[in-house]
Amino acid sequence: MKIQIEGLDSVNDIINRYADGITEKLSRGIAVGCKVVEAEAKSLCPVSTEETRPGGPHGELRQSITSRTEGLTGLVGTNKEYAGYVEFGTYKMAAQPYLVPALKSKQSDVISAIASEFKR
């Protein structure tokens, strides 16, 4: 028995075209989701006051929180060297988490942002 399928090349072209569209939609959704997590992280980020850190500066960590996407990877974070100490604490300082709680609290919003890209 021999089975022959005509037009298979055009089917492959269609699949490849949709695959590219899926990647673009995922990337856009991830970017939107990252912005949501970034905003939440900024709202949760502790900020020193004049009382806790006389002479300042104040709010540098919060201002340094950014987000970006690289392909299908979303990144939310900061370039401040001390950010990990604030997030996880040290033996001298209690943790003041802001990044992990931001992601956890906005997880459904990230999923919704990605899903909404596929409804367009």
Side-chain angles (χ1 to χ4, degrees):
M1 173 185 265
K2 181 178 181 182
I3 298 175
Q4 184 174 357
I5 301 173
E6 293 183 22
L8 192 57
D9 289 338
S10 63
V11 171
N12 280 335
D13 291 342
I14 292 169
I15 290 171
N16 288 335
R17 194 167 52 243
Y18 279 110
D20 290 342
I22 289 170
T23 300
E24 290 172 18
K25 289 178 181 187
L26 278 171
S27 184
R28 281 195 308 264
I30 291 167
V32 170
C34 282
K35 288 295 183 186
V36 169
V37 174
E38 175 188 335
E40 182 69 3
K42 286 181 176 182
S43 75
L44 297 175
C45 185
V47 177
S48 64
T49 63
E50 195 60 31
E51 186 176 299
T52 61
R53 189 175 182 190
H58 309 292
E60 285 185 335
L61 181 58
R62 176 179 285 172
Q63 292 170 357
S64 71
I65 298 170
T66 60
S67 64
R68 69 179 192 273
T69 56
E70 295 176 2
L72 297 179
T73 301
L75 303 165
V76 178
T78 173
N79 62 353
K80 296 296 182 186
E81 292 179 16
Y82 60 89
Y85 302 130
V86 175
E87 180 79 15
F88 302 110
T90 69
Y91 72 94
K92 292 183 176 183
M93 180 182 86
Q96 300 176 71
Y98 57 98
L99 285 172
V100 172
L103 178 59
K104 285 183 177 180
S105 71
K106 295 300 179 181
Q107 184 176 4
S108 62
D109 293 342
V110 171
I111 292 168
S112 294
I114 294 168
S116 70
E117 288 296 324
F118 287 91
K119 294 177 183 175
R120 294 179 177 199

